Every structure is written in structure tokens, then in C-alpha cells.
Amino acid sequence: MAFIGNKFGLVACVVAIVLCSCSNKEQGQDGFSYPVSPPSEVVSFFDTYLPVSESSSLSDMIFNFPDLEYHSSECMLINSKKEFRDLLTIEVSLPDIDFKKYSLIIGKCTLGDPEYVLDEQMVHAESDHMKLQLCYRRLDGVSPSVITDFYFWGLYQKLPDLPLEVDLDIT
């Protein structure tokens, strides 16, 4: 009964439990939104149709990406099946994504050689725009100096329909 006698302690404990139980695991405490774990059907689709990287043009690329300058990036926020379909250059069966609950981000960035790997991606929403932060790590070793396109995607809890810019963080 001594524990319950301290009303402030009890209220603080209840508030802490409620806050912890209501926290969204895809929304970090740092204010960033992180990708959710996608269904296997979505992973399979992107494994089939979107390479991680390519140092030459893809003849079988089904996404309509622009040609980019070195150290440039492009990404698309997709909030409907129609937007997803419009991004494709050919007719293929799309994975089932509930766009009422989720947003899809697809994009590419162009870097100076093929020795990079995407470690993490996250979105930060501000009042009038969002920033997609891509954290690339340069692998050790020697590699040819070849302009390389790196492709990325992520499925997020529904994001606002705001302009989206990319911030590359390369270590």
C-alpha cells in the first residue's frame, strides 16, 4: 500500500506505461520516421525490378527515372496505386500495398564509384516539406572510378503529401 499512497508516483508510472505502449516503433524518438518491415511480396517485387546499383544503363529497368548528374539524387513519394503505376514504363503486376496506411518512397542517387552501401534511410517531416536522409557507407578497398546509380526504396507509415528532398550522408 505504500506504493499506492504516493499518488504522484502512481500517476507518473501510469503515464510512462501509456506513453511506452502507444509509441510507434517506426517513429523514432529523434523525430525521424523509419521504414516499416514490408511484406515479402513487396520485397520480392523490388528484388526483381529494382537493382541496388548499376554502373551502366539498364535495358530492363521498369521505373521511369531521369538521368542524373554526379552526386545528384531523385526520389518519388508514392501515396496511391495510380502514382505507383504511373512510375513504371511497362505493365507488370504490382505488389499489394495499402496506400491508406503506407507511403512508398522510390529513388536513385548517382555517385562516383560502385563501392557504396546504403546503411539506413529515414524521413523527417517539417511544416512545409520532408527530408529523406540516406546514409551511405563507402566500402574499404580499391574500386574503379565509374559513375554508378544507386537505387533505393522504403515503405513508411503514411507520410504527408509534401515536397520531398534527399539529403545524402556519406561516411
Side-chain angles (χ1 to χ4, degrees):
M1 286 299 204
F3 176 74
I4 296 176
N6 184 346
K7 290 181 184 178
F8 178 74
L10 179 62
V11 169
C13 194
V14 169
V15 168
I17 291 170
V18 168
L19 287 176
C20 288
S21 66
C22 292
S23 68
N24 180 351
K25 67 181 180 178
E26 290 82 22
Q27 176 75 33
Q29 298 220 3
D30 53 6
F32 285 91
S33 295
Y34 294 88
V36 299
S37 296
S40 60
E41 173 190 12
V42 175
V43 173
S44 178
F45 176 85
F46 284 105
D47 284 349
T48 301
Y49 294 113
L50 188 67
V52 173
S53 69
E54 187 65 17
S55 57
S56 63
S57 65
L58 294 171
S59 59
D60 57 350
M61 173 59 81
I62 69 164
F63 291 95
N64 196 11
F65 287 111
D67 289 330
L68 298 176
E69 300 292 323
Y70 171 64
H71 269 296
S72 295
S73 57
E74 172 78 18
C75 68
M76 280 75 57
L77 174 65
I78 300 168
N79 275 322
S80 73
K81 195 161 197 152
K82 180 186 180 328
E83 290 175 356
F84 194 9
R85 172 79 53 216
D86 290 347
L87 184 59
L88 304 176
T89 60
I90 63 172
E91 185 75 24
V92 295
S93 179
L94 295 177
D96 187 30
I97 297 173
D98 183 353
F99 285 106
K100 291 179 183 170
K101 292 171 58 175
Y102 300 106
S103 294
L104 180 63
I105 294 178
I106 303 173
K108 89 173 185 180
C109 62
T110 302
L111 299 172
D113 64 62
E115 293 299 316
Y116 293 95
V117 63
L118 180 62
D119 280 337
E120 189 174 31
Q121 62 176 292
M122 62 208 88
V123 173
H124 186 266
E126 302 193 11
S127 61
D128 60 346
H129 71 284
M130 294 184 297
K131 281 190 177 184
L132 171 66
Q133 185 171 354
L134 300 173
C135 301
Y136 279 94
R137 177 175 38 93
R138 190 159 199 273
L139 300 173
D140 293 333
V142 178
S143 67
S145 182
V146 176
I147 301 293
T148 304
D149 292 330
F150 291 89
Y151 300 94
F152 56 88
W153 67 276
L155 188 64
Y156 290 82
Q157 290 291 336
K158 192 68 172 184
L159 295 168
D161 198 9
L162 294 171
L164 180 63
E165 59 186 60
V166 177
D167 182 21
L168 290 178
D169 182 12
I170 300 174
T171 58

